[in-house]
Amino acid sequence: MTVKFEFNEADFLAGVEGIKPKHGSAIANPSHIKDIEASGISIEQAEAAGIFSVPPDKIGKAFALCGWGNISDTQSMLAFTYRSLNGGGIEGCRFKPFPAVKFSDKGGREQERKYIQPKGSPNHFYLPVGVNIKGSDPIYLTEGEKKALSMTVHGFPCIGLGGIWNFRNGAKGYHQEGNKKLIKDFHLVNWRGREIYIVFDSDIAVNPNIAKAEDALAQEILKAGGRVWLIRLPYGEGLPKGVDDYLVAYGATCFNDLERFEVKPRATIADIIFDVEDFFKLDIPPKKIILHPWIEENSIIQIFADRGTGKTMFVMSLFVAVVRGESFGPWETITPVNCLYLDGEMAAQDTTERFLELLPDGDRCKLFVYSDAYANLIGLPKANLLDPKWRSAMKDILLKLNVKLWAIDNLSSLSPGIDENSRQDWEPINTWLLELRFVGITTIILHHTNKTGGQRGTHAREDNLDISICLERPKDYRPEEGARFVAKFTKARIRNKDLPLIADTEFCLESGEHGESVWTFGNVRKKNKAEIIRMLGDGIKAKDICESLGIDKGLVSRIKTSGIKEGLLTDNGQLTQNGMIWLAKN
């Protein structure tokens, strides 16, 4: 049952005085003594800080002060009084019921409240004795009165927050973006030029709301002129959660040895607009080239082909070359990096078999495999590019594994139900790919062709691509040849001087001497030139050459003219001696 209660400071102060113990020790309850000493605080230090046990006959009054009905399950209650930062007496109080209060919210869900405070009362900083808010010495901030007092008695002057968002005021919604109202105590602390250290509970590692509050508090202190560092407690099973428990378990020396992370002010749009001469002076590291010239860090690449062309083996082989620091086709690996291959289509056994064909022993960077078929086999949901939770988890994994190049094989399998022609459906995935680009991760997307040979679906998919490659079977392709195709760059953001390196290149996957898979490759233009010169020398007509090679008549004419100039053909199109030697070499 909730009692209507309007906060009145005079009534509040009288109420707190009315529930204080009148005689004997302020803290006498064994549970309270155990609770305080577990934080490394002596009872004398706690009583000096204004902490007291609420007498059993006054617990109901304490609940009424907080706007609650009496909770019959409550066995005892500990009170934490807040000293005024302006000097003088008490101006705040919070209570800790033993055990914690359990109740149902409006949705019928059971909740637990470990601390309660007078209804409608403003938030305050908890200030242990000895903390100088007006000075210039370093100061710490943490959540909770006991933790702040424990920090202070261990030699780290600390201000306590009643909750992670309690540096802001308001009846509710402290954490909402629109609520920027700081508590009055915030403005009473001298932040300017001061070293400030924020240390929240260790579960900040897995709780984004705590991290958000930490960042918001840090930014407010930075705006007030302070310098801010974050201290992160080690997180894991069996490790202390709060800073008081950490100090008790490991001591002040170990706490002092924890790494500090300095926080910088958030940049605004105005901060990143420069005069062009000043922009040239910025210390911007160059993009690392992974495979010269077309795979760089921070890129988005699409490779598309008809079903069964060989795009999977092409990219698998490319990854093997990159992690081993070897060339692939006409392209040289400059920077070997960790790679991850996400296979969303093949059975796990097929993925294993293909990589075994390609991956010899030897030193290399890490090559990771994510088989969606295997994930499904052990009960995990299917990988889904449309699922924001999956995208977020995948980004975290790529960063954790230090993966700089990864492949999505393929778009259709891993985005079930997407309307491929819809720009709107593609936009969330595109935004995520840009996020990966900005953290230094290059993505290769494998996709299918449409009926006319272009990439299937919305053209918006190509807007942010750095590279787009079509794997196209040559006109004389025969099914028994397997993976044989021409790699054609349909979009390429590369330097002009490197354009000759991305000329159409024919690849063919063959068996090596020991049964291993080996790629052969060759420049299509050079191959076409040699074939056209040979056919012209054999007296074949230009029309028939065009039909045989799938090329236009203009190309045949240009090669014939250049062949005559180079002395490979006579004026009437017959092979010269030099032409025969040239053909033997090509």
Side-chain angles (χ1 to χ4, degrees):
M1 175 183 177
T2 302
V3 180
K4 288 187 177 180
F5 183 85
E6 296 297 329
F7 181 74
N8 179 283
E9 187 173 4
D11 291 343
F12 160 72
L13 294 174
V16 172
E17 288 299 323
I19 60 177
K20 276 186 174 181
K22 303 303 180 184
H23 307 286
S25 176
I27 304 173
N29 187 292
S31 297
H32 301 172
I33 294 172
K34 182 179 179 182
D35 187 63
I36 289 167
E37 290 181 341
S39 294
I41 305 165
S42 71
I43 299 306
E44 292 75 17
Q45 290 167 333
E47 289 180 344
I51 302 172
F52 64 88
S53 298
V54 178
D57 61 337
K58 303 293 177 63
I59 290 176
K61 288 186 177 181
F63 274 122
L65 193 64
C66 296
W68 289 68
N70 193 20
I71 307 297
S72 58
D73 292 341
T74 301
Q75 299 169 8
S76 64
M77 184 179 284
L78 195 57
F80 297 83
T81 56
Y82 280 54
R83 295 189 304 120
S84 170
L85 269 66
N86 277 322
I90 298 169
E91 68 173 358
C93 187
R94 289 212 310 159
F95 301 98
K96 182 178 181 180
F98 288 73
V101 175
K102 293 184 178 180
F103 64 98
S104 297
D105 63 15
K106 292 180 180 179
R109 297 178 294 270
E110 189 173 277
Q111 303 288 331
E112 186 177 84
R113 189 72 57 81
K114 292 182 179 180
Y115 289 85
I116 60 175
Q117 71 184 64
K119 187 175 182 180
S121 62
N123 294 321
H124 290 285
F125 283 153
Y126 179 76
L127 189 68
V129 176
V131 179
N132 184 2
I133 61 170
K134 300 298 184 183
S136 58
D137 53 314
I139 203 166
Y140 295 77
L141 286 100
T142 192
E143 180 196 2
E145 299 86 1
K146 280 198 306 165
K147 294 167 191 170
L149 184 55
S150 178
M151 286 278 287
T152 302
V153 301
H154 279 89
F156 306 99
C158 186
I159 292 173
L161 304 175
I164 56 173
W165 290 100
N166 281 24
F167 58 93
R168 291 180 179 169
N169 242 326
K172 55 185 176 181
Y174 303 153
H175 61 286
Q176 292 174 0
E177 286 301 315
N179 181 12
K180 303 296 183 184
K181 187 178 180 182
L182 296 169
I183 61 174
K184 71 171 187 176
D185 288 359
F186 187 92
H187 304 289
L188 299 177
V189 178
N190 173 41
W191 305 109
R192 186 162 299 280
R194 200 169 189 177
E195 294 180 7
I196 310 297
Y197 299 93
I198 301 174
V199 51
F200 281 165
D201 286 356
S202 64
D203 59 342
I204 192 172
V206 293
N207 189 329
N209 187 45
I210 302 177
K212 187 175 182 181
E214 177 192 62
D215 179 67
L217 174 60
Q219 294 299 325
E220 294 292 356
I221 295 171
L222 288 171
K223 284 190 281 188
R227 296 184 64 193
V228 183
W229 283 265
L230 308 178
I231 302 175
R232 293 292 175 82
L233 301 176
Y235 175 76
E237 186 176 351
L239 294 176
K241 180 180 178 183
V243 67
D244 53 344
D245 298 327
Y246 186 90
L247 286 167
V248 170
Y250 301 109
T253 302
C254 285
F255 176 77
N256 246 339
D257 290 339
L258 291 175
E259 191 173 358
R260 271 75 167 151
F261 304 92
E262 187 170 7
V263 182
K264 299 297 184 183
R266 283 202 201 102
T268 66
I269 293 177
D271 295 325
I272 51 88
I273 297 177
F274 300 91
D275 176 86
V276 68
E277 295 297 331
D278 293 330
F279 187 76
F280 292 154
K281 297 174 185 176
L282 291 176
D283 184 18
I284 302 175
K287 290 172 70 174
K288 288 182 180 177
I289 299 173
I290 298 172
L291 188 76
H292 185 260
W294 61 276
I295 301 183
E296 297 182 337
E297 64 179 357
N298 311 353
S299 300
I300 304 173
I301 297 167
Q302 177 178 255
I303 297 176
F304 61 100
D306 197 6
R307 296 179 183 86
T309 301
K311 55 185 177 293
T312 294
M313 286 296 280
F314 180 76
V315 177
M316 281 183 170
S317 304
L318 187 153
F319 275 24
V320 169
V322 166
V323 298
R324 291 180 59 82
E326 299 174 344
S327 295
F328 179 69
W331 310 301
E332 179 186 2
T333 295
I334 303 298
T335 309
V337 296
N338 291 349
C339 299
L340 185 146
Y341 200 92
L342 168 54
D343 182 2
E345 186 175 42
M346 292 191 298
Q349 298 89 334
D350 294 336
T351 305
T352 301
E353 184 178 324
R354 292 199 182 190
F355 269 120
L356 284 174
E357 290 180 26
L358 299 168
L359 194 60
D361 294 331
D363 295 334
R364 56 183 170 82
C365 290
K366 294 276 190 183
L367 175 56
F368 300 98
V369 179
Y370 176 166
S371 167
D372 196 35
Y374 179 74
N376 193 246
L377 187 67
I378 63 172
L380 290 175
K382 286 186 65 62
N384 189 348
L385 292 167
L386 301 175
D387 181 356
K389 290 183 178 179
W390 183 89
R391 295 197 300 264
S392 177
M394 196 66 221
K395 177 182 175 182
D396 290 343
I397 290 169
L398 293 170
L399 290 170
K400 182 179 179 181
L401 297 177
N402 194 30
V403 168
K404 295 298 183 183
L405 175 64
W406 78 303
I408 296 170
D409 186 5
N410 55 63
L411 192 58
S412 299
S413 299
L414 294 166
S415 53
I418 192 174
D419 180 353
E420 291 187 346
N421 294 310
S422 168
R423 183 190 186 103
Q424 186 175 353
D425 281 12
W426 172 248
E427 196 54 43
I429 301 174
N430 183 56
T431 301
W432 177 65
L433 294 174
L434 290 173
E435 288 178 13
L436 295 181
R437 171 194 277 173
F438 294 145
V439 295
I441 297 171
T442 293
T443 303
I444 296 180
I445 307 163
L446 276 66
H447 193 33
H448 296 105
T449 54
N450 57 25
K451 293 179 180 179
T452 61
Q455 67 97 24
R456 198 168 71 192
T458 175
H459 290 294
R461 189 176 296 114
E462 296 180 309
D463 291 348
N464 294 117
L465 294 178
D466 298 281
I467 300 289
S468 184
I469 301 173
C470 177
L471 306 183
E472 187 177 286
R473 291 190 179 109
K475 297 292 183 181
D476 61 345
Y477 173 79
R478 299 186 307 275
E480 60 268 24
E481 292 178 298
R484 176 175 167 241
F485 49 78
V486 176
K488 295 185 175 183
F489 286 74
T490 61
K491 179 180 181 179
R493 291 175 178 167
I494 66 170
R495 301 165 187 82
N496 283 339
K497 67 178 184 179
D498 292 327
L499 288 175
L501 296 174
I502 60 168
D504 292 356
T505 303
E506 182 174 312
F507 285 84
C508 184
L509 187 63
E510 300 178 351
S511 293
E513 293 181 9
H514 307 291
E516 74 278 16
S517 294
V518 177
W519 288 99
T520 60
F521 63 93
N523 185 291
V524 172
R525 183 174 295 178
K526 290 181 179 178
K527 181 181 176 181
N528 278 345
K529 180 178 180 179
E531 189 63 16
I532 291 169
I533 294 290
R534 183 190 65 78
M535 295 176 81
L536 286 169
D538 289 344
I540 299 174
K541 294 180 180 179
K543 179 182 176 182
D544 296 330
I545 294 175
C546 292
E547 290 179 359
S548 176
L549 299 182
I551 56 178
D552 62 82
K553 193 174 180 179
L555 178 60
V556 175
S557 177
R558 289 193 296 275
I559 288 178
K560 181 178 180 180
T561 300
S562 68
I564 292 170
K565 287 182 179 179
E566 294 169 17
L568 306 178
L569 296 170
T570 63
D571 290 343
N572 61 0
Q574 293 181 335
L575 273 176
T576 64
Q577 187 67 28
N578 286 338
M580 292 178 186
I581 295 171
W582 182 85
L583 277 179
K585 292 179 179 180
N586 291 275

